Each structure stands twice: as C-alpha cells, then as structure tokens.
C-alpha cells in the first residue's frame, strides 16, 4: 500500500493545472482564486509564485521558455522570471462570469483550455478553446 505524504501545505484557495517540468525538476500549478502561478521545487521544498492580477485558471510551459496562461480575461504568455504577462487573445470578454478552469497540451504542442461559469445555477455557455503554436486561439465547442 502506497504511503501518501503532504509535501507542500500551500493553503491554496483552488489549486489546479499541475504541470511537471522535467528539465527544472519543478512542478508548476495555479491557484485560481488567488491569481497565482506557483513553482514548487520538491528537492528544496521551496514554493514561489507569480501574482497575475486576476483568476489564473491554467498554465502550460513553452519550449521557448516561459509559459502560457489561461486567465479570467484571456490567454497570455507569461515570463516566469519577471512575471510579465502579454495578451495573446481576449476570450469571452462578453461573459464576465466565466473564467478558465483547466488546460493541457497535446502532442502537437497545442494548449487546450476549458472555461467555467461561476454563476449559480451554472449557465451553459462555457466552451473549449485551443491555442496553436502560432498563437491562434480558436473556440472548439461551446
């Protein structure tokens, strides 16, 4: 039987979108409600974060360095050293009660992200989006 051990008591508001970086030996993840992208180094136990200034739904690492971020107001590139975010595309600007919830990359290097309605009862207007390597964002289903 496997032993489960807490390695980081992050006290996250809503942790999501865990991505392992094998080169750095670090785990990147978002705390959606706190608006943070975290980097956890299990070798040292150090957890650092970048404040992104809005709900941070999902993150993926870029081959060129840095990350892409699905945030409340759209899709961004994120410099993991400076914390600077650059808008790639606004998404669902007409739906201020929606936010990105989670995302993952596929084998072609595309970042798939889903939105989530924060209105109760939940409205059926969330969708899936795809960010292509050329920074084209397209709505897949909704």
């Amino acid at each position: 039987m496997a032993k489960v051990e807490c390695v980081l008591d992050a006290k996250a508001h809503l942790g999501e979108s865990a991505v392992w970086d094998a080169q750095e030996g670090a785990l990147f993840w978002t705390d959606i409600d706190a608006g943070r992208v975290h980097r956890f180094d299990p070798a040292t136990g150090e957890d650092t974060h970048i404040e992104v200034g809005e709900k941070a739904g999902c993150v993926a690492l870029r081959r060129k360095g840095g990350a892409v971020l699905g945030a409340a107001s759209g899709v961004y590139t994120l410099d993991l050293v400076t914390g600077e975010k650059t808008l790639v595309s606004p998404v669902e600007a007409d739906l201020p009660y929606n936010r990105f919830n989670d995302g993952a990359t596929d084998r072609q290097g595309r970042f798939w992200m889903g939105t989530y309605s924060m209105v109760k009862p939940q409205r059926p207007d969330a969708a899936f989006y795809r960010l292509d390597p050329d920074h084209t964002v397209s709505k897949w289903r909704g």
Side-chain angles (χ1 to χ4, degrees):
M1 183 172 197
K3 179 182 176 185
V4 177
E5 176 184 347
C6 179
V7 295
L8 176 65
D9 187 9
K11 301 201 180 357
H13 296 228
L14 180 56
E16 193 77 70
S17 190
V19 179
W20 178 252
D21 184 339
Q23 285 184 310
E24 284 195 36
L27 181 72
F28 289 84
W29 57 281
T30 64
D31 186 344
I32 294 175
D33 290 341
R36 295 178 179 153
V37 173
H38 285 257
R39 180 189 179 279
F40 174 64
D41 181 341
T44 65
E46 181 181 24
D47 182 63
T48 57
H49 65 268
I50 296 169
E51 301 277 349
V52 298
E54 60 184 300
K55 291 183 185 294
C58 50
V59 66
L61 302 174
R62 299 176 66 200
R63 285 188 189 123
K64 298 177 181 179
V68 290
L69 171 70
S73 64
V75 179
Y76 294 84
T77 57
L78 179 66
D79 185 310
L80 295 171
V81 175
T82 67
E84 179 182 353
K85 65 181 188 177
T86 304
L87 184 65
V88 173
S89 178
V91 175
E92 298 184 354
D94 59 326
L95 302 172
Y97 46 81
N98 279 12
R99 63 161 171 78
F100 279 107
N101 186 58
D102 203 356
T105 55
D106 65 15
R107 291 180 184 172
Q108 289 76 37
R110 301 173 298 191
F111 187 37
W112 293 84
M113 304 159 281
T115 59
Y116 167 84
S117 174
M118 297 179 290
V119 177
K120 302 292 182 198
Q122 291 182 352
R123 297 174 50 113
D125 54 11
F128 281 110
Y129 293 87
R130 185 184 74 213
L131 171 65
D132 290 321
D134 68 357
H135 288 185
T136 300
V137 176
S138 53
K139 186 175 183 178
W140 186 66
R141 300 262 185 198

